[in-house]
Structures are given as C-alpha cells and as structure tokens.
Amino acid sequence: MRLAFLHGSNDLYGASRVLAQDVELLLGMGHSVSVTLPEEGPLTEMLVELGAQLSIEPLSVLRRVSGAAGLRMPLRLPAASQNADVIVLWTVALAGYLPTLRARRRRVICSVHEILLGAVGRLLAAGTSVLSHSLMVNSEATRRWITGDVPLRKAHLAYPVAPPYEPIPRPATDTDALQILLMGRVNGHKGHLDAVLATQGARDLGVEAEIALVGGSFPGQEHHLADLLALIEDRPWARYGGEVADTRGFLERCDVVLVPTNRPEPFGVVALEAWAAGRRVVASNLGGLVEATTMVEGITVPANDVPALSQALVRVARDPTLRLAPRAEAPVSTRCTSAARELAWRAALSEACV
C-alpha cells in the first residue's frame, strides 16, 4: 500500500521517535511510506535515512496553546497525500483534516498519542473516533480516552517498541551523590519544577542528590523554560542540559530517571528508554504512564506530590537494589516489541481498507 503520514512536529520527542519506528516497520512490511512535516528539523534526516519519501508543507495543527481557536477544518490536503491508499494522521493534533478527508472518500487511520482533558479534548476524541476508519492507540489509558464517547468503537492497541536491552555501565566518578535525570519537553506539565523541588526535599532529608534536566520548550511555551531556569539559578546541584538529540551521555551518568508529570500521560516512552539503559524509573501514577512504569519494574508515586517524590528518591538512594538495572525479563520485553506492533498495524490497515 501507499501510506501517507501527516505529522505536526519535527522533533525527536516521544511521538516522533515512535513514528520513525513505524516508518521502518512499515517499509519492512513492503509498503510505500511518505511523511509530511510542517518544517525542517532533526526528524527529517532520520526519516530520509530510513527510506521514507519526505515533504515539508504547512499543516493545520492543533496546539495546546491554541485551545478552541485551533479547531478549524483545512480544505487543502498536502500534496503527498493525494495518491495515497491510506492517510495516517499522526496524533489527534491533525484531526482537523478528518472532515475533508472523509468528504473526499479517503481512507484514514488516526494514531493516537495523547490524552487531552476538558471540553476541547472530549470534542476531539469523539470526532476522531467517529470519523477515522481505524484507530491505533499507544496504551489502554489512551484507548479509554479516545473511545469514551463511542464505547463500541474498536481501537487497536500498539505499545511503542522498546529499545534493545543494553544496560549502560556507570563510569567511575568522584562523587557518591544520587544522580537524577529528567528527559522531556519543558511545557509546564512534565514536572520539571516538581523534580527540582523534590531533589531539594531529598537533600533536606540527608541525601546528597544532583539533577540534570534535558529538553527544550515548544514555541509559545518558552515561559515554562524561563521558570525552570529561574528556579535552578541558585542551586548548583541542578543542571539544565538543553535540547539534545542523543541522551545516552545523560543516561550513562544517572542513577534514576524521573517522569513526574502532573497531567495524564498517554504512555511513557522515556520509561522504556530508561529500562533499556539499565536505569530505574520513578514516575507519576497517571494515565498510560502507569502501564509503562509497571512494565519496566519502576516506582510510581502520586502526581503533584513533591514530598512523596522526595521520599521515593530517598528510597532509591538508600536501597542499593534500586540502583541495579531492572530485569531484562521485565514485562516490557514481551509487550513492547516489533512483532506486537506489526500485528496491530496489520489489523488497523485491514479495518481501514474494508
């Protein structure tokens, strides 16, 4: 088949990395794959190297900062999608294309990688569920959100593929401090501020701890980065590493990875990356993040609870077993595989083309 993906971001965060996985998988299955992105960026080279046809065109993308004002229906379809057998909308941020695609009798799969709360989120979930020919979701939590208003609608579960389990040896250092890492976009709900405050709390409880924070901010959300930089300005044990393409160096130096989000996450790709690197995860007990954390044998804590997060860090610091790599045989090793994701794609494509 000729598959045309529309993706609203050109970055290397969770959904984009999963897109690259799927492009490689679908090309290996014998399909032709094109991807339309709204601008140049680090994902471009990766997709070209995989063998995808790539085009850069303006796309109508719903952003969190847009609110209801962003719910508009584009009438023009990207050129790369004109001759495709199936259009794949990569996340509901592209759901505005659904009415036009259906009016032009195009077959559409929507791959859902988000949980959006509130009235706008409910509207998007219902519209996406009704207008897509097939749905793919990245967790049970995402499935519950997207099909909530249409409970009889099927959604094909496809967990992201975990990286190969290759624990990174810790280099010798001149400090015994607990090394903490947070990787994620600085957008106000990934928990960067809570992570810094929790590290301070652990230090106040007698644990020598340091934290590195990695990730950039999305246009329109730069104030969240400014808040983070202001918070760590007088804390020499907190370091902001900026946006990086390769996090291996940060994972190598850390003892534990934090995912302290304060809104329901659709999944937790960072948890998979931490497991593959041989690092334990401490994460909020919200949404699909719970599924990911459980599969990698991590630790969950109540969301928005800085003291609980501090106590979890103290626990990791004082329990030597929690600094050991999680098991290679953790549930993630059988649930987040290429074979499982290929089965989901075959089912979704079959349903979309009926």
Side-chain angles (χ1 to χ4, degrees):
M1 292 186 196
R2 293 166 298 180
L3 308 179
F5 284 72
L6 307 187
H7 180 36
S9 299
N10 195 325
D11 54 40
L12 293 178
Y13 291 97
S16 294
R17 295 199 300 275
V18 177
L19 171 61
Q21 288 180 347
D22 278 357
V23 167
E24 184 174 17
L25 177 68
L26 291 162
L27 287 170
M29 293 167 62
H31 300 294
S32 169
V33 178
S34 68
V35 181
T36 299
L37 301 169
E39 67 266 328
E40 292 286 356
L43 185 59
T44 302
E45 183 178 355
M46 182 182 296
L47 293 176
V48 170
E49 288 181 354
L50 288 172
Q53 303 169 50
L54 194 70
S55 63
I56 306 297
E57 294 187 44
L59 292 174
S60 179
V61 185
L62 174 66
R63 304 292 187 197
R64 287 183 185 272
V65 294
S66 303
L71 293 175
R72 55 187 181 275
M73 184 180 71
L75 299 178
R76 190 186 70 82
L77 297 179
S81 67
Q82 299 297 326
N83 297 316
D85 299 307
V86 176
I87 313 296
V88 183
L89 300 181
W90 198 252
T91 82
V92 297
L94 282 302
Y97 285 96
L98 279 166
T100 299
L101 288 166
R102 291 302 297 257
R104 298 185 186 181
R105 301 183 181 277
R106 309 309 301 276
R107 312 304 293 183
V108 187
I109 294 174
C110 188
S111 184
V112 187
H113 303 257
E114 57 266 273
I115 297 175
L116 305 176
L117 303 180
V120 172
R122 289 193 297 272
L123 178 61
L124 274 172
T128 301
S129 188
V130 169
L131 293 175
S132 299
H133 291 96
S134 187
L135 293 169
M136 293 181 68
V137 295
N138 64 348
S139 70
E140 294 287 1
T142 304
R143 189 208 303 268
R144 289 191 293 272
W145 172 70
I146 197 68
T147 63
D149 291 333
V150 190
L152 298 180
R153 182 65 195 271
K154 180 192 296 185
H156 302 281
L157 175 62
Y159 285 125
V161 178
Y165 181 77
E166 298 173 347
I168 304 172
R170 291 175 175 81
T173 63
D174 56 0
T175 177
D176 292 327
L178 180 71
Q179 299 296 323
I180 304 162
L181 175 62
L182 190 158
M183 303 181 291
R185 194 186 288 281
V186 185
N187 58 11
H189 72 266
K190 292 293 185 182
H192 288 74
L193 303 185
D194 283 355
V196 174
L197 295 177
T199 304
Q200 179 70 71
R203 292 174 65 87
D204 293 343
L205 291 170
V207 171
E208 187 179 359
E210 300 176 355
I211 186 169
L213 306 109
V214 178
S217 59
F218 201 82
Q221 299 179 341
E222 293 87 355
H223 60 287
H224 294 301
L225 177 56
D227 291 342
L228 172 62
L229 295 177
L231 182 62
I232 69 174
E233 184 176 5
D234 297 321
R235 292 179 164 93
W237 43 262
R239 177 168 62 100
Y240 175 62
E243 186 162 4
V244 297
D246 185 359
T247 58
R248 179 181 174 86
F250 288 91
L251 284 164
E252 180 182 43
R253 293 189 294 272
C254 84
D255 296 302
V256 61
V257 175
L258 291 191
V259 193
T261 56
N262 54 44
R263 295 181 189 172
E265 289 283 353
F267 190 63
V269 173
V270 168
L272 273 57
E273 294 175 343
W275 167 81
R279 301 299 186 265
R280 196 73 61 171
V281 170
V282 175
S284 300
N285 60 351
L286 288 176
L289 181 56
V290 177
E291 297 169 51
T293 305
T294 300
M295 285 194 284
V296 300
E297 300 180 338
I299 299 169
T300 58
V301 297
N304 298 294
D305 190 334
V306 172
L309 192 56
S310 294
Q311 289 291 346
L313 293 175
V314 171
R315 178 184 167 194
V316 172
R318 295 177 177 171
D319 184 348
T321 64
L322 293 178
R323 295 212 206 182
L324 299 177
R327 295 180 307 133
E329 300 80 12
V332 63
S333 63
T334 57
R335 304 192 68 184
C336 298
T337 65
S338 295
R341 197 160 179 95
E342 180 176 334
L343 286 175
W345 266 109
R346 290 187 185 279
L349 288 168
S350 177
E351 182 180 34
C353 295
V354 170

